[in-house]
Amino acid sequence: MKTRLQVIIVCLLSTAIASYFVLSSDKKIPSEQVMTSLEGKKIKISDYKGKIVLVNFWATSCTGCMQEMPELKKLQLKYGKERFQTIAIAMSYDNIEYIRNYNKKENIPFKIVHDADGKIAENFGGVTLTPTNFLIGKDGKLIKKYIGIPNYTEIISNI
């Protein structure tokens, strides 16, 4: 009886682990969703096909987000727009004036979008925690999702 229970547990765990990897690798990125940058430019993730893209969900009220922004800025400046593009999406609850002031003060070298109605976060699987980052490959497919501050070494190894 004990052996049978162990076999059932192992089978359930194996199924759960396999399902996680299958489902997480098949996540669809909303690459054709039109977003408007703070400058008023219409952009889509598919505009950057052939480059590594980091989609960063953040808020000016998020301590972790403010901690990671200088690192994201360094990555963008180091690897340039020819190979790498960051798109920072400010959450719907963030104040647009705070976002603009932060951008102006820090001279952010990548696209910033305000997800005023929350549709972008919803289309990325219901992002609610910040920071949340999606690393997208040159082929437009998800490489990795990071909840919290990402692993920069891992990001760099993909650029």
Side-chain angles (χ1 to χ4, degrees):
M1 183 73 165
K2 186 177 179 182
T3 306
R4 187 173 185 188
L5 181 61
Q6 288 174 331
V7 169
I8 291 171
I9 291 172
V10 169
C11 288
L12 288 173
L13 284 173
S14 298
T15 303
I17 292 169
S19 297
Y20 170 79
F21 285 111
V22 169
L23 294 174
S24 65
S25 65
D26 267 355
K27 290 196 180 195
K28 299 286 183 207
I29 298 297
S31 58
E32 296 303 319
Q33 179 169 13
V34 177
M35 301 175 277
T36 305
S37 71
L38 288 185
E39 298 81 27
K41 183 178 179 187
K42 303 286 185 198
I43 61 171
K44 299 179 289 185
I45 293 171
S46 63
D47 295 341
Y48 305 103
K49 197 161 189 168
K51 301 176 187 182
I52 299 295
V53 178
L54 183 70
V55 177
N56 168 255
F57 285 88
W58 69 293
T60 57
S61 60
C62 164
T63 306
C65 301
M66 295 298 98
Q67 180 184 343
E68 79 175 348
M69 275 297 179
E71 293 303 318
L72 297 179
K73 186 176 173 180
K74 285 179 197 172
L75 278 176
Q76 187 63 64
L77 292 171
K78 181 175 182 177
Y79 294 100
K81 293 179 181 178
E82 295 76 34
R83 294 172 56 195
F84 178 69
Q85 181 62 56
T86 303
I87 302 171
I89 302 173
M91 298 297 282
S92 60
Y93 56 80
D94 211 346
N95 181 305
I96 187 67
E97 288 309 312
Y98 295 169
I99 300 164
R100 289 179 205 262
N101 289 339
Y102 182 78
N103 183 40
K104 184 177 179 183
K105 178 182 159 212
E106 297 299 325
N107 196 24
I108 302 298
F110 44 79
K111 303 291 181 204
I112 296 180
V113 172
H114 183 222
D115 186 15
D117 61 6
K119 294 287 186 201
I120 302 168
E122 184 180 311
N123 291 337
F124 268 86
V127 173
T128 56
L129 299 173
T130 56
T132 294
N133 292 276
F134 294 82
L135 186 61
I136 302 167
K138 293 177 183 181
D139 59 0
K141 293 183 180 175
L142 179 66
I143 295 173
K144 185 147 187 184
K145 176 181 176 181
Y146 301 93
I147 297 175
I149 295 176
N151 180 330
Y152 299 112
T153 305
E154 210 171 62
I155 291 171
I156 291 166
S157 72
N158 281 287
I159 297 177

